Amino acid sequence: HHTECQKYFQSFAELFDIKKHFSFNTRIAIVEPRGDNWYVEAEDGRSGIFKGVVIANGTLYKPNIPQFEGNFDGEIVHSSEYKSAGMFDGKRVLIVGAGNSACDIAVDAVHRAKSVEMSVRRGYHFVPKYILGKPADSIGGKFELPVFLKKRIDKILVRALMGRPEDFGFPEPDHDLYESHPIVNSLVLHHIGHGEIPVRRNIDKMEGKMVYF
């Protein structure tokens, strides 16, 4: 749970006494190269030389709400606002997109909503969360293989474990495995395969509470 992640980060910072290096609510005025290092100066006048600089400007900070023809009179909720599956109780829910957040929310919603459907524009590659009881990414990292060979083996393994996304109603992916972030979810295809989450194509237009595909 995210509260456990927060406690872990805080306890790590306290154990290794790294909080003394933090400067919260501080604006940076200057970042410029100095030889093999970087000179950084804050607006309050503090400055320092650092080996590296990471600019984490939050590309996903602002919700991206897709625009469609027409107007929708129902409730529109972005994944950043999602807190609990209880918000879906008794509602007909349309999940727009099939990224990792969308698939996680769809799996939650299917247990509470009156109905759940997904609208997708393109195909995705799905990989299991666990292989032989271990997180999938921890298995792959144990073997040093050339990229082309690893991709070929992983594609065969993923196909054997997850099947073809097209067989579940998704468009065929227009990219190869690992060329875009895969969907790490072992349950969404299960529910789709059982007819609990129909997959529809891209939205054409909206009128009132009606959605046309």
Side-chain angles (χ1 to χ4, degrees), residues 98-112:
N100 280 282
S101 296
C103 289
D104 286 343
I105 292 172
V107 170
D108 285 353
V110 78
H111 300 289
R112 305 292 292 268

Side-chain angles (χ1 to χ4, degrees), residues 8 32 51 71 87 90 119 133 143 189 195 198 207:
Y8 174 78
E32 60 184 28
K51 288 295 294 181
N71 295 303
M87 66 186 298
S119 168
F143 305 100
L189 294 183
E207 292 180 5

